[in-house]
Structure formats: C-alpha cells, structure tokens
Amino acid sequence: MEKFSNINETLGMSSQFVKGVGPSRQILLERLGIHNVEDLLMHYPRGYYDRSNMTKICDIEVNSEITFKGVILVASLRKLRGGKTILRAAVGDETGRINLVFFNQPFLKQRFRQGDKVIVSGMVNLYRGEKQITAPECEFYSDDFEKEFIHTGRIVPVYPLTAGISQRMMRKIIKAALEKCKGGIEENMPVSLINSMNFPGREKAFWDIHYPPAFNYLDEAVRRLKFEEVFFIHLLLKKRRKKIREMNLRPKISPPYNFLKKFLHSLPFELTDAQKKVLYEIREDLESGKGLGRLLQGDVGSGKTIVGLASMIMAVDNGYQAAMMVPTEILARQHFEKTKAYLRDLPINVQFLIGAVKKTAKEKIYSDLELGNIDIIIGTQALIQEGISYKQLGLAVIDEQHRFGVKQRASLGKKNELPHFLVMTATPIPRSLAQIVYGDLKLSIIDKMPFGRREVKTKIVKENDRNKCYSFAREYFKKGMQAFLVSPLVEDSDKSDLKAAVSEFEKLQRDVFPDFPLGLLHGRMSYEEKSKAVEMFAKGEISALVTTTVIEVGLDIPNASLLIINNPERYGLAQLHQLRGRIGRGGNGGVCYLIPGEDISVSSLKRLNFFANTNDGFEVAEKDLQLRGPGEIWGLRQSGYPVFRLLNPISDNAIVTRSWEESDKLLEADPALREQENRVVANYFRLYYKPKMEIAEIG
C-alpha cells in the first residue's frame, strides 16, 4: 500500500502500529482485509447492542437483555472437578442484588473487588429460584474520572471477526485507531457538497458509526459513508469514459447505410417502436464522433439480437469489421446460422469461431480477420484469445455481459484503437445498479415485446402429480409441438436426490415417452454432440430435449411450447426466467411446469409462487436482486467490481442517484479537479481510493 504524503498520513499507516495490534495480531487482521489504519476505521460494525438504557435491579426480568449499574458486594471462586472453575460475583444497587456467573475464567477474580463500581450488560436467567447473568459484559468505573464506556452502558458495536480476535479486542483496537487519528482525518469531498447534503464531517462520521451517542447520529454517519463509497466509484467510471474518448480513436461511422437498408427491408417483420428507438440511439452515438459505449437491456425475446446485428451492419457499411461475443458455443452457433440466413442476399462475409474449431480452420480465420476478409465474426471467448488480430474492428457486440469480466471486454480492442461497444443483456437491472456496474456506458432499454409474442403460463406442480404433466406433454407431441425437460444435475449423485439429465433421459425414453423420440443435451457433451442434438431438435426430428441449464442463454426453437423444470428451487429467479424464455417464441405461447422437491422450504415455495405470477423480466430481476444480492447475479466479485461495505445498490437507490448527479456536476465544473476546494477529492482519489479499486482500466 502506498504511504500517504501531505494528506491523512496516519490513515495510510500499517494497522500493526495501532495500540493493541502488533505484528502477530496484524496477521489475523489481514484475514479481514485490514492492512492500514483506514481499513480499521472502515471495518464497520455488522450490528449494534443497545446498552444505553439503564435498569434498576428490582426491575430486572428473567429472559431479558438488560444493562445496569451496581457495586461489587462479594466475589468467590470455586474449583470444580477436572480443573474447571466457577466465579460468582454478587452486584447490588439501592434496589436489590443479582449474581454474575463466569465459568473457567479464574483470572477475573482479581477484577471483581468488593466496593468497585461496575456497569453490566447481559441476558438474565433463573438458577435455583434466583436471578443471575452468565458471562455478562462488564466495565468498571469510579466517580473521580469520567469514563467513556466501550462494551456496555452505550450503543455497542458488533463486528465481523476472525479466529483469534474477540469482540472486546476488536472494539478496543478500533477505538485506539480512532484516538490515534483524532483531529487528523481530513475531508475527501468538497465542503460545499458536504454542506448541501447535510453530512457530518468525515472524522465525526467514523466516530459515530463505531460509537454513536444515539441512533440518529448513527443514521447520519451511515448516510455519509454510503454516499462516499459510491461517489468515488462514479468519479472513476466517468473519468474512465473521458479517458477512453480522449486517448482512443473510435472508427468513424456515418451514412449512407446501404446494407442496413436492404437488411431491414428483407426482414419478415417490422421492428417494434422500442427497437427503432434504441437503434436510433446507437446510430446517434456511432455518428457523434464520441464513440458508442452503450448497455442494451431487454427482456427475454424482446429482439435485442436483431438490433445488435443491425448495429454491426452499420459498421460493415463503413468498411469496418464487427464481432459478436457470446458466453456459450451453442448460442454462438445459433447466432451464426441466423445471421447467415438474414444476410444471405448481401455480400457480407460472416464467420464463426469457438474453441472447438479445428486448428487448420482456426488459422484460416485468424488470417482472414487480419487481412480484413471477414466482415462479421461471431464466437465465444475464442474471439479474444492470444494470437487473434483484427484488421480494423469497428464494433464489438457483447451478449450477456455479466458472464464476462471487464478486462475481457477491453481485450477486443487495442490499447489506442478501441472499437465501439454495444453490451446486451436479458437480465435487466435497475438504473441505480447500472450506474455502478456500467457507469462508463449509456443505457438503452427495449421495453416492448414483438407483436404476436404470447405469454407463457407458469404452474407449480407437486411431485405426485408429475404424470399429469407427462400426459399433457404427450398431447403436445401429438400436435407436433416440442418441449424442454430440465434437470439440475448431469448425472446421478450419491450426495443428492436431485433429478439428473442422463438418467431422466433414459427413464423417460424407456418408460414414459416410448412412442416419441427424445434427445439429450448437457454441458459435458462435446461440441459436436451438442450441435447434433440442437440441430435435430430444431428440425423437429425429436419431440423433447432432456437437458440442463445449458439451454439457459439464447437457444431459439420457435416450435418449443412446453417446459418442465425439475427442482426449480435450485435456481435463481433470473435463471428461471431465462429458461422460461426458451419457449413460446413461435407466437403460440407456452406452458412452464415447475416440479419442486418434496422437501422444499416455505421461503422457496413463496419465491416460486412469485415467479409463476409474473412474466415481466424486470420484475423478476428486481426480486432476484433483493433476494440474492447484485454481487451474486452480476458476478461483480468475479469481474473485479468492489463489494460495498455499507451501500446496497438496490435499497439505496436515492443515494446512488444523488451521487451520480453530484459527480456529474463536479467533473463538469472542474474536470481535472484542480480548484482549491476539489483538491482534497483528487488527492484522496489518487493516493488511496484508486489503488484499492480492482476495476480494470480500459485502454
């Protein structure tokens, strides 16, 4: 960690120099991510005990958590069998007395001296008809000095811990860190911003989050520190966007768009108003000279892929290459086949690249990309492998961005020659989260489904009614319609009673659907085997595909109208919605059956009921975010984004929005942060915050 100069030098000092730490405890603290003094101050409590209200001993009730003041009346230590001990201390006030009990802590006998004053907190229980408190928190005091209590007699912090560090120890260490920094914690935001937001000063906020005099002080401290967390992320993202625009030349895209006009005219359908609006936004960015960097959100089946393809054609119209990177080989193949079909009457060379492509064919693709013979390339992460080089990549379209890290997005370009970027996702996120995850991208939303797209009905079915679902499936098959049958496992496991695709396939083909051909698809199959299964399903040669979640992203079979999901409680809501999006794509609607395990919990059943009652992907994603957290769904940890200590991007929407606005104002008025009032921001950002951020810089 770089040591500070000129600003908050104590904050950058190793935490081992704080009273009560030292080299050995420093090793333990590092398990909690604590390396310096500021890390200690930012090791926020996970909760609080309210021990500020004093109770008279006569008013103490059994099974209640209480705090009271008293005097030590007598203390006795008794040895038990096996070397164990029990210490009893009687404490009294003017209204009565109560016993404190400590097991196997004989050293405490020296602390409990008759006549000493003590403040006690703990849970009251009854032993042989007498009230007592086992292992309470105690702090001793005298009348000749004013003591600020740490463990009791106040609102007491409760910290995340690691082995070897107790609550009492952590409280003392953080209190010592606060004392060490007293009077020396400078501001890191402009005074005018602090005043307009009615924030406490930074030093006061640290004191009040650890040792609040009252809960309203705590609330204000948390509000300030949450804002601070997201404010510097917004600054980083916006400075990154500015840096990209200044340092990297983007390809110039401009009319006429002859290929685009022919493509749109050849489509067997008209784009929705929502698709037209988004395509216009993309075109404006491409032609502006500032570059396209946009996140395109849309529900499953809303038509994002057509918009992405139209955008790539605009790049090709201008003599540039375009690439589309997707997370799975199956999806890459499907996009490739569809793109070829859409562009069959246009002189645009479309190729396909995944890891499974044979060496000779791969080398030919590499050569053609470098020579500029390929106009559009569609593939997986193979598009960013070492050795691949584009002659002039004008636009990169990235589908399901949360499956790729930020560095992978950047890998599609060269250091000073980035392409335009269009990022697409069918897992919608609220604007407040988008401003954190994709703050360097503008946001577009396709909020209308294509005409004729019918809803999928979702029903929860008990295990003992499974055969009714199969009877319904037979009727579908007789009408020439198809189904997906999804299981959470590939093969049976001794450790789980969950359904497995391989054994389900064998059982269903043999015992349930002997008159209808079934196919098998899962992630452990080779690319050739997967492709064959999907091809047969697409041609209608098999009635149902028994599969895992390998079909989750993008598989488009218009004739598939039935989905049966085994053990749906094992999946997140967003994943279930993606699976459900595989059916009803041909305009006939569809039915999704959820068959949970017999031991499903009440909370899981409630979650599935919510899912069954909505087809709105934005509602589903919002609920999933509430239940699982943004880090779990969007892979923030995997892709290098910071995990917030205090801020929740969903519930703290107002703070995120205000930070976005204030960071805009600040950078608009003073882009280089050189004004006197703003230098504290620049210093803190440069010396402390930016080195700790794990977000990969683009360019």
Side-chain angles (χ1 to χ4, degrees), residues 444-505:
S444 287
I445 298 175
I446 298 179
D447 53 6
K448 292 286 189 297
M449 299 297 281
F451 179 75
R453 180 73 188 258
R454 297 186 182 179
E455 285 191 352
V456 173
K457 295 179 181 177
T458 304
K459 301 177 181 179
I460 300 173
V461 178
K462 293 180 180 178
E463 176 63 38
N464 54 16
D465 288 329
R466 176 182 292 274
N467 287 332
K468 293 181 181 178
C469 294
Y470 293 156
S471 296
F472 187 72
R474 286 190 199 93
E475 296 304 313
Y476 259 56
F477 298 159
K478 288 175 185 177
K479 295 175 183 177
M481 292 184 282
Q482 295 169 286
F484 291 106
L485 309 176
V486 179
S487 295
L489 301 180
V490 174
E491 295 177 337
D492 287 322
S493 168
D494 295 335
K495 299 178 181 179
S496 173
D497 59 357
L498 299 175
K499 297 288 182 184
V502 174
S503 57
E504 277 294 288
F505 167 70

Side-chain angles (χ1 to χ4, degrees), residues 309-578:
L309 179 53
S311 304
M312 290 195 288
I313 292 171
M314 280 192 273
V316 175
D317 256 319
N318 279 258
Y320 297 106
Q321 296 167 298
M324 176 181 280
M325 187 165 74
V326 301
T328 68
E329 294 175 339
I330 292 176
L331 182 56
R333 167 63 73 175
Q334 179 176 279
H335 279 329
F336 172 62
E337 297 292 352
K338 282 195 163 189
T339 300
K340 276 204 312 180
Y342 280 131
L343 304 182
R344 60 182 175 272
D345 296 327
L346 291 173
I348 296 177
N349 184 10
V350 184
Q351 292 298 326
F352 170 69
L353 181 62
I354 60 172
V357 171
K358 290 185 168 43
K359 184 179 179 183
T360 305
K362 192 177 289 185
E363 288 174 349
K364 177 71 165 62
I365 291 172
Y366 281 11
S367 174
D368 284 346
L369 279 173
E370 194 164 7
L371 292 171
N373 297 332
I374 295 174
D375 299 306
I376 294 177
I377 184 80
I378 296 172
T380 57
Q381 292 187 50
L383 297 182
I384 57 174
Q385 295 304 309
E386 189 175 348
I388 193 167
S389 177
Y390 301 85
K391 182 180 180 181
Q392 205 162 20
L393 183 61
L395 173 65
V397 177
I398 304 176
D399 200 7
E400 297 304 330
Q401 155 74 4
H402 63 285
R403 301 213 168 192
F404 299 113
V406 178
K407 290 181 181 178
Q408 290 165 310
R409 193 208 310 174
S411 298
L412 278 163
K414 299 175 183 177
K415 186 169 181 64
N416 293 311
E417 297 176 17
L418 283 182
H420 298 278
F421 281 108
L422 179 64
V423 175
M424 304 194 301
T425 178
T427 306
I429 58 173
R431 186 174 294 272
S432 60
L433 184 56
Q435 288 172 343
I436 295 170
V437 181
Y438 299 116
D440 56 336
L441 301 175
K442 296 179 181 178
L443 182 63
S444 287
I445 298 175
I446 298 179
D447 53 6
K448 292 286 189 297
M449 299 297 281
F451 179 75
R453 180 73 188 258
R454 297 186 182 179
E455 285 191 352
V456 173
K457 295 179 181 177
T458 304
K459 301 177 181 179
I460 300 173
V461 178
K462 293 180 180 178
E463 176 63 38
N464 54 16
D465 288 329
R466 176 182 292 274
N467 287 332
K468 293 181 181 178
C469 294
Y470 293 156
S471 296
F472 187 72
R474 286 190 199 93
E475 296 304 313
Y476 259 56
F477 298 159
K478 288 175 185 177
K479 295 175 183 177
M481 292 184 282
Q482 295 169 286
F484 291 106
L485 309 176
V486 179
S487 295
L489 301 180
V490 174
E491 295 177 337
D492 287 322
S493 168
D494 295 335
K495 299 178 181 179
S496 173
D497 59 357
L498 299 175
K499 297 288 182 184
V502 174
S503 57
E504 277 294 288
F505 167 70
E506 295 169 353
K507 177 185 173 184
L508 290 170
Q509 185 67 91
R510 182 185 65 242
D511 302 331
V512 182
F513 302 114
D515 300 330
F516 301 98
L518 306 183
L520 177 66
L521 179 67
H522 59 74
R524 295 183 192 171
M525 295 166 66
S526 68
Y527 169 69
E528 289 75 16
E529 290 171 327
K530 292 177 190 171
S531 297
K532 183 65 175 174
V534 172
E535 182 182 353
M536 290 178 67
F537 193 53
K539 289 180 177 179
E541 295 174 7
I542 53 180
S543 298
L545 207 53
V546 182
T547 181
T548 59
T549 56
V550 71
I551 66 163
E552 172 190 348
V553 180
L555 200 61
D556 188 0
I557 309 293
N559 199 42
S561 302
L562 178 65
L563 172 67
I564 297 175
I565 304 178
N566 292 304
N567 303 107
E569 69 276 15
R570 303 288 294 184
Y571 307 120
L573 292 178
Q575 192 173 30
L576 287 173
H577 188 64
Q578 287 276 14

